[in-house]
Amino acid sequence: MKIPLFPWLFLIPFLTIFFGVNVFLVSGQCRKDQQSLLLQLKNTLVFNQSLSAKLVKWNSTSDCCEWPGITCDEGSGRVISLDLSFESITGGLDDSSGLFRLQFLQSLNLSFNIFSTALPVGFANLTDLISLNLSSAGFTGQIPNDFSKLTKLVSLDLSALSFPGGPAVLKLEKPNFATLVQNLTHLTELLLDGVNISAHGNDWCKALSSSLPNLKVLSMSNCYLSGPLDASLAKLQSLSMIRLSGNNLSAPVPEFLANYSKLTALQLSSCQLNGIFPQAIFQVPTLEILDLQYNKFLQGSFPEFHQNLSLRTLLLSNSIFSGTVPQSIGELQKLSIIELAGNNFTGPIPYSMANLTKLFYLDLSSNMFTGTLPSFSKSKNLTYVDVSRNQLTGEIPSSHWEGLRSLTYVDLGYNAFNGIIPSSLFAIPPLQKIQLSNNRFGGQIPEFPNVSSSLLDTLDLSSNKLEGSIPSSVFGLAKLNVLELSSNKLNGTLQLHRIQKLPNLTTLGLSYNNLTVYASGGNSNMSSLPQIKKLRLASCDLGMFPYLRNQSKLFHLDLSDNQITGPVPGWISELIVLQYLNLSRNLLVDLEGPLSLPGLSILDLHHNQLRGSIPVPPSFITYVDYSSNNFSSFIPPNIGTWPRLQIVDLAFNHFRGNLPNICLKTWEGMMEVGNRSLEHIRYDPLKLTNGLYYEDSITVTLKGLELELVKILTVFTSADFSSNNFEGPIPDAIGQKHASVKLIDAISLYGVKLIEEFYRTDIINNKMAIFLRGAIVLPQIGK
Ligand SMILES: *[C@@H]1O[C@H](CO)[C@@H](O)[C@H](O)[C@H]1NC(C)=O
Ligand SMILES: *[C@@H]1O[C@H](CO)[C@@H](O)[C@H](O)[C@H]1NC(C)=O
Ligand SMILES: *[C@@H]1O[C@H](CO)[C@@H](O)[C@H](O)[C@H]1NC(C)=O
Ligand SMILES: *[C@@H]1O[C@H](CO)[C@@H](O)[C@H](O)[C@H]1NC(C)=O
Ligand SMILES: *[C@@H]1O[C@H](CO)[C@@H](O)[C@H](O)[C@H]1NC(C)=O
Ligand SMILES: *[C@@H]1O[C@H](CO)[C@@H](O)[C@H](O)[C@H]1NC(C)=O
Ligand SMILES: *[C@@H]1O[C@H](CO)[C@@H](O)[C@H](O)[C@H]1NC(C)=O
C-alpha cells in the first residue's frame, strides 16, 4: 500500500514564487483617498483577528503605505499592490467593499482565504492589474465575463487545491475558456487548476495557442479537460511549465513536447495517457520535473541520459514503463526525487545511482529489479528509500548506509536479500520506519546503539531467517508503534509485560518463532500494557490465555497454535472492536460467553476441544471455522442468511440433523481452502488501490499463490460440512453455481451423482464444484 502524498509537496515552491511578487516594490507616502478605501475594505471584511497578520494592524494612526500587505507607488502614494493572502477572511466580498475603487492596483493577492462567494464583477474595474492571484481564495461559481477586460494581466491565478475527479468550485462555462483568454494576450502565467473548464482538446489548445503567444506557465490540472493535445500548442515556444495532471486526455503524448527549448516542468499524471512515451522528452536539456504517474496505459522506456540534462524530479510510478534503467542515470547530477514504483522495470538497479549525491527520495518498489542494492552513503540528504517488492538479492554491506543523517524511511521488504541486517541502519538518528520483511536476512538482530534518542516507530523484520534472542534495546524504543518479528527463528523467552516500556505500541507480532512467551493470566498487571490493536502470538508456546480485558482497541488477535488450556474467557466479548479472532490449534474446552462481537469478521476456532453448541457469530462474519472440535447439536438454521459469510467450515465435529438450506446462490466465486492457516489471510479494510480511493480487499495465500481479491464479499466462497453426522437430502441451494462445497464423508447424504475422477477446481474460471468423498460433482452433470 502506498500513499502518494508526494505530489502535493510540489505545490509549495510554486506558491512561494507567486506570493513573493511585491517584495521588490518600494513604499512611499500614502494618499488619503487610498487610505480611506483601504479602511473601508477592512471594515467590510470578516476575518479572524487572532489569525490575521496584516489586516489586524491596519489603523488610521499610521501611513497606509507602511501597513503590512500594502505597497505604494513611490512618487504618487498610490496603492499599487495589495496582498491579503492567508488572512483567514471568511464571508463575502462585494462590490461596495472599496476594493474595486483602488484603481491603481497592479498586483492583487487574495489567495488562501475563505470568501465563499461568487467572484464579484468589480474586479473588472482594476484594469491596471498585471498580477491577480485568487488561488484557493474560496470563490465559487462561474468566472465572470468581465475578467476578460483585465487586458494588462501578465499573471492570472485562479487555481485551487484539487484532485482528479474532485469537486470543482469555479467553472468556465459562460463565458467559456476561449472567451476568457482571448483578450488576455499578455499572459505569461495562467493557473486554473481545479477550475471546471470541460473543454475538448481542439478547443482549449487552439484558444491557448492563438491568444496567449507569450505563455510560460500553463497550469490546468484537474480541469475536466479532454485530449488530445493539439499540435497548435507547438507554437507556444516560451512554455516552460506544463501542468495538466488529472485531466482525461486519453491520448498518446505528442512528440512535439520535446521541441520546447525552455521546458522545465511537464506534469501529466493521472491523464489516462496511452501509447509509447517519446524518449526525446527525457532528453530535453532544460527539463527539471517530469511527472507521468498513474497513467496505467502509458508505455515507455528510458533512453541514455547525458550529463547536460537538468532532471531533478522523475515521477513515473504506476504506469507501464519497462526495460532497464541505464547506468547513465548516474550522470543526472541534479536528480533528487525518483519514483518508479509499480512499473515493469527489469534488470539491476544501476550501481551508478550511488553517484546521485542530491538524492532525497527514492521509490523503486513493485518492479522486477534484480541484482544487488547500490550504496547510498554518498547521498547525504536521502530521506526515503523504498525498493520493496522486487527480486533483489545479495548482502547489504553496512557501509551502504553509513553517514546518512536524514534518512527517515527504509523499505526493503519482499525481496530476496540475505546476509545479516546492516547494523549501520539501526544507528541512523532520524529513522522512523524500517521494513525488511519477507527477505532472507539471517543472523542476529543488531542492537540499537542509541535507543533513548531513537525516533523509530516501525520495525518490521517478519518473515526472514533471523536467529538469536530479541535484543533488549528494542524494548527501549519508546516511540515504537509497530513491532513485527513474526516468522523468523528467534529464540529465548519473553515476558509479555516487557512491552509496558513501549507506551505507543499498537502492533506486536511474535508469531512463528522459537520463542516462549509468558503472558500472565487472570487479574494481573496486564492493564498497564499499551493499548494494542494487533497482537500476533501464534506458536509462542503460550500455556494460558493472556489477560487482555483492558485492551479495548484490539481488533486483531491471533493466539493460534499454542497450548492454551481451559475455557475461552467470557471477557473476550468486551473487546468490542475485535474483527479477527484466531484461537485455533489450542486445547480450549469451553466458551465462557456467547462471543457476541459486533465487528467480528474472521473467527477461527478450529482444532480445539470445544463442545456443546457453536457460538452464533455476528451477522457481519465473513469467515468461520469451527472444524475439528467436539461441537454437537444442530447448526443454526439461519446460517445461510448471514449476508457476508464467504467461508464456513464445520468439518470434523458431531453436528447432526439436516443441513440447513444454505443460500449459496448469493455467494459467488469459488475456492478450495486448502491451507487453513489463517495467518495467511489478511483483512485490510482500508486498502489504497489506485492511489486515491480505498476499497475492501483481502489477500489470501493458498499454496504459495498470493491472490489479491478485491471485494472479497462477492467473489470468494467455500463451505465444508464433511465428517459430521448430517443426514437427509443435500439442500437444493447447494446446486447453485459459483460455490465450492465440501461434503466429504458427510454420512447419509444423498441426491448427488458422483463422478469417479478427481477434478481440480479452477479458481480462475468461475465453475462450481462439490466435493464428495474425494470426488467432485460438477452441477451441469449432477443436475
Ligand atoms: C496602529 O498600528 C500601529 C502599527 O501597527 C500600532 O503601533 C498602534 O498601536 C495601532 N494603534 C491602534 C489605535 O490600534
Ligand atoms: C469602479 O470604478 C468606478 C470609478 O472609480 C467607481 O465609480 C465604481 O463604483 C467602481 N465599481 C465598483 C464595483 O467598485
Ligand atoms: C463541469 O462542467 C460540466 C459542463 O458545464 C458539467 O457537465 C459537469 O457536471 C461539471 N463537473 C463538475 C465536477 O463540476
Ligand atoms: C476518459 O475518456 C475516454 C474517452 O472519452 C473514456 O472512454 C473513458 O471512460 C474516460 N475515463 C475516465 C476515467 O473518465
Ligand atoms: C542537503 O540539504 C541541505 C539543506 O537543504 C543543502 O544545503 C545541501 O546542499 C544538500 N546537500 C546535497 C549534497 O545536496
Ligand atoms: C546518541 O545520542 C546522543 C544524543 O542525541 C548523541 O550525542 C550521540 O552522538 C548519539 N550516539 C550515536 C552513536 O549515534
Ligand atoms: C481494567 O479492567 C478492569 C475490569 O476488568 C477495570 O476495573 C479497570 O478499571 C480497567 N482498567 C483500566 C485502566 O481501564
Side-chain angles (χ1 to χ4, degrees):
M1 176 157 88
K2 185 149 230 349
I3 304 177
L5 284 179
F6 204 59
W8 302 107
L9 291 183
F10 290 113
L11 293 169
I12 294 160
F14 298 117
L15 298 176
T16 23
I17 289 166
F18 296 115
F19 296 152
V21 170
N22 36 19
V23 173
F24 306 104
L25 305 175
V26 191
S27 304
Q29 185 70 37
C30 184
R31 262 171 49 161
K32 274 281 166 288
D33 65 318
Q34 301 277 289
Q35 168 150 332
S36 68
L37 285 170
L38 288 168
L39 287 175
Q40 184 185 338
L41 173 63
K42 177 181 174 176
N43 284 337
T44 61
L45 293 177
V46 181
F47 62 97
N48 184 331
Q49 304 268 342
S50 58
L51 297 175
S52 161
K54 300 169 199 164
L55 281 171
V56 76
K57 294 187 178 148
W58 291 7
N59 66 45
S60 49
T61 59
S62 57
D63 181 346
C64 77
C65 294
E66 305 293 331
W67 295 350
I70 306 290
T71 311
C72 296
D73 178 49
E74 217 174 341
S76 63
R78 294 164 169 177
V79 173
I80 54 168
S81 168
L82 173 58
D83 178 356
L84 292 178
S85 58
F86 296 98
E87 278 292 281
S88 305
I89 302 167
T90 53
L93 172 69
D94 60 43
D95 286 336
S96 67
S97 67
L99 175 64
F100 304 116
R101 283 187 283 145
L102 290 165
Q103 78 253 36
F104 309 113
L105 277 180
Q106 294 172 19
S107 169
L108 175 60
N109 183 349
L110 301 178
S111 64
F112 293 90
N113 283 293
I114 316 158
F115 283 100
S116 314
T117 178
L119 282 165
V121 291
F123 282 107
N125 251 20
L126 305 177
T127 49
D128 278 353
L129 276 181
I130 294 170
S131 167
L132 176 58
N133 186 349
L134 303 179
S135 164
S136 294
F139 292 108
T140 61
Q142 173 66 44
I143 296 170
N145 204 13
D146 306 70
F147 272 61
S148 57
K149 295 181 186 151
L150 303 176
T151 55
K152 291 186 186 161
L153 276 181
V154 170
S155 172
L156 175 61
D157 187 350
L158 300 175
S159 65
L161 290 176
S162 57
F163 56 90
V169 286
L170 286 172
K171 65 178 175 183
L172 265 175
E173 197 175 355
K174 276 185 189 160
N176 65 14
F177 179 68
T179 316
L180 175 79
V181 298
Q182 66 187 354
N183 297 327
L184 306 183
T185 53
H186 294 103
L187 277 183
T188 64
E189 298 176 348
L190 178 61
L191 297 90
L192 298 175
D193 308 75
V195 176
N196 185 355
I197 298 177
S198 277
H200 196 268
N202 299 332
D203 301 329
W204 65 267
C205 292
K206 284 189 177 129
L208 285 171
S209 53
S210 60
S211 308
L212 309 181
N214 305 316
L215 201 61
K216 292 180 182 156
V217 175
L218 171 62
S219 192
M220 301 203 301
S221 353
N222 307 310
C223 285
Y224 294 89
L225 300 173
S226 56
L229 295 178
D230 189 84
S232 62
L233 276 187
K235 275 200 277 183
L236 301 179
Q237 273 300 315
S238 305
L239 270 180
S240 132
M241 272 190 207
I242 302 178
R243 290 192 264 154
L244 295 170
S245 294
N247 292 296
N248 182 0
L249 302 181
S250 316
V253 177
E255 190 89 36
F256 70 75
L257 297 184
N259 299 340
Y260 291 124
S261 59
K262 295 172 184 153
L263 192 64
T264 59
L266 178 61
Q267 292 174 248
L268 298 172
S269 69
S270 303
C271 283
Q272 310 278 335
L273 297 171
N274 54 40
I276 296 175
F277 185 75
Q279 284 196 337
I281 296 178
F282 286 114
Q283 288 161 321
V284 173
T286 49
L287 193 62
E288 296 175 13
I289 299 174
L290 179 61
D291 181 358
L292 302 170
Q293 300 183 91
Y294 299 101
N295 283 293
K296 62 184 176 191
F297 305 113
L298 182 63
Q299 305 170 49
S301 59
F302 286 131
E304 290 296 330
F305 294 106
H306 300 292
Q307 229 173 355
N308 62 349
L309 301 184
S310 312
L311 271 175
R312 287 192 287 114
T313 298
L314 184 56
L315 306 175
L316 303 185
S317 61
N318 298 294
S319 298
I320 45 175
F321 279 79
S322 58
T324 59
V325 177
Q327 283 292 349
S328 53
I329 195 166
E331 303 284 320
L332 301 176
Q333 279 304 306
K334 295 177 182 152
L335 205 52
S336 74
I337 295 169
I338 307 177
E339 264 246 32
L340 307 181
N343 280 285
N344 298 331
F345 285 109
T346 51
I349 300 176
Y351 58 78
S352 62
M353 276 195 165
N355 300 332
L356 298 174
T357 54
K358 291 266 180 358
L359 200 58
F360 168 81
Y361 183 103
L362 178 66
D363 186 352
L364 304 179
S365 62
S366 301
N367 277 287
M368 292 176 280
F369 286 113
T370 51
T372 57
L373 194 68
S375 170
F376 296 115
S377 61
K378 288 194 212 161
S379 309
K380 300 293 181 208
N381 281 352
L382 195 60
T383 62
Y384 185 105
V385 176
D386 186 350
V387 296
S388 65
R389 293 172 200 274
N390 279 289
Q391 295 153 23
L392 299 168
T393 52
E395 301 189 7
I396 302 178
S398 195
S399 57
H400 275 29
W401 305 96
E402 264 159 22
L404 299 180
R405 286 271 163 268
S406 305
L407 198 61
T408 62
Y409 184 105
V410 173
D411 191 346
L412 311 181
Y414 295 90
N415 280 291
F417 289 119
N418 55 34
I420 57 169
I421 293 179
S423 59
S424 56
L425 200 52
F426 282 25
I428 296 172
L431 207 54
Q432 292 172 18
K433 295 192 198 302
I434 300 179
Q435 304 187 113
L436 307 181
S437 73
N438 293 277
N439 277 291
R440 296 176 194 157
F441 288 111
Q444 303 226 348
I445 302 177
E447 290 281 352
F448 285 84
N450 225 350
V451 280
S452 56
S453 56
S454 169
L455 299 175
L456 201 69
D457 76 42
T458 299
L459 181 63
D460 185 353
L461 306 178
S462 60
S463 298
N464 278 290
K465 298 176 173 180
L466 298 166
E467 295 164 3
S469 52
I470 301 174
S472 59
S473 52
V474 165
F475 298 98
L477 297 167
K479 295 261 172 23
L480 210 57
N481 189 287
V482 174
L483 177 59
E484 222 348 316
L485 303 175
S486 298
S487 301
N488 278 291
K489 297 176 186 168
L490 300 170
N491 56 34
T493 59
L494 179 75
Q495 297 285 345
L496 196 55
H497 69 249
R498 286 190 75 186
I499 64 170
Q500 279 171 8
K501 294 192 183 137
L502 305 175
N504 298 309
L505 199 68
T506 61
T507 296
L508 176 64
L510 300 174
S511 299
Y512 304 109
N513 280 287
N514 301 324
L515 292 166
T516 300
V517 174
Y518 292 108
S520 338
N523 272 318
S524 69
N525 58 359
M526 297 292 273
S527 60
S528 54
L529 291 183
Q531 290 281 299
I532 305 279
K533 294 178 180 168
K534 280 188 181 183
L535 184 58
R536 295 199 178 102
L537 297 177
S539 191
C540 282
D541 217 7
L542 283 169
M544 65 171 87
F545 216 102
Y547 187 69
L548 303 168
R549 189 166 192 165
N550 289 70
Q551 293 293 333
S552 58
K553 296 190 174 157
L554 200 62
F555 76 87
H556 181 112
L557 178 60
D558 187 354
L559 300 175
S560 62
D561 214 354
N562 283 293
Q563 275 89 46
I564 305 176
T565 54
V568 177
W571 51 253
I572 282 271
S573 297
E574 293 170 22
L575 304 178
I576 52 168
V577 299
L578 212 55
Q579 290 180 23
Y580 175 105
L581 179 59
N582 189 348
L583 304 176
S584 65
R585 284 171 280 132
N586 277 292
L587 303 166
L588 296 162
V589 291
D590 266 317
L591 292 151
E592 274 181 359
L595 275 189
S596 50
L597 291 160
L600 202 62
S601 155
I602 292 177
L603 173 61
D604 191 351
L605 298 177
H606 91 265
H607 214 299
N608 276 287
Q609 294 157 16
L610 296 164
R611 50 198 174 184
S613 313
I614 53 171
V616 178
S619 49
F620 289 115
I621 199 90
T622 56
Y623 186 125
V624 273
D625 190 347
Y626 294 139
S627 65
S628 301
N629 276 289
N630 297 325
F631 286 119
S632 53
S633 84
F634 303 96
I635 59 176
N638 63 342
I639 189 169
T641 63
W642 298 342
R644 299 176 69 171
L645 191 59
Q646 307 293 299
I647 299 166
V648 58
D649 194 342
L650 305 179
F652 297 96
N653 276 290
H654 309 295
F655 291 111
R656 54 208 154 88
N658 286 4
L659 275 179
N661 203 9
I662 298 162
C663 292
L664 289 172
K665 58 177 174 257
T666 59
W667 303 351
E668 293 173 12
M670 58 165 288
M671 177 85 70
E672 182 194 1
V673 186
N675 182 351
R676 290 239 170 64
S677 163
L678 272 191
E679 192 54 31
H680 298 294
I681 294 196
R682 198 175 67 228
Y683 190 52
D684 258 345
L686 294 180
K687 164 83 184 176
L688 201 62
T689 52
N690 60 4
L692 286 165
Y693 307 104
Y694 289 96
E695 278 191 69
D696 285 359
S697 90
I698 194 163
T699 305
V700 182
T701 308
L702 285 167
K703 295 169 182 156
L705 173 71
E706 190 169 280
L707 301 168
E708 191 154 276
L709 300 173
V710 177
K711 300 254 181 229
I712 180 180
L713 313 178
T714 56
V715 297
F716 186 34
T717 290
S718 155
D720 189 346
F721 304 113
S722 53
S723 295
N724 276 291
N725 302 331
F726 291 119
E727 57 196 1
I730 291 179
D732 278 354
I734 288 182
Q736 301 287 338
K737 60 180 169 153
H738 302 326
S740 156
V741 183
K742 217 169 180 182
L743 299 166
I744 302 166
D745 288 337
I747 57 165
S748 309
L749 287 171
Y750 52 85
V752 182
K753 191 173 157 192
L754 298 181
I755 297 173
E756 294 297 317
E757 201 184 340
F758 185 82
Y759 177 85
R760 183 142 164 40
T761 56
D762 185 349
I763 10 177
I764 311 298
N765 303 322
N766 264 341
K767 289 183 201 144
M768 195 290 291
I770 297 173
F771 298 86
L772 243 168
R773 283 202 176 85
I776 195 162
V777 179
L778 293 172
Q780 59 267 42
I781 298 164
K783 292 205 97 179

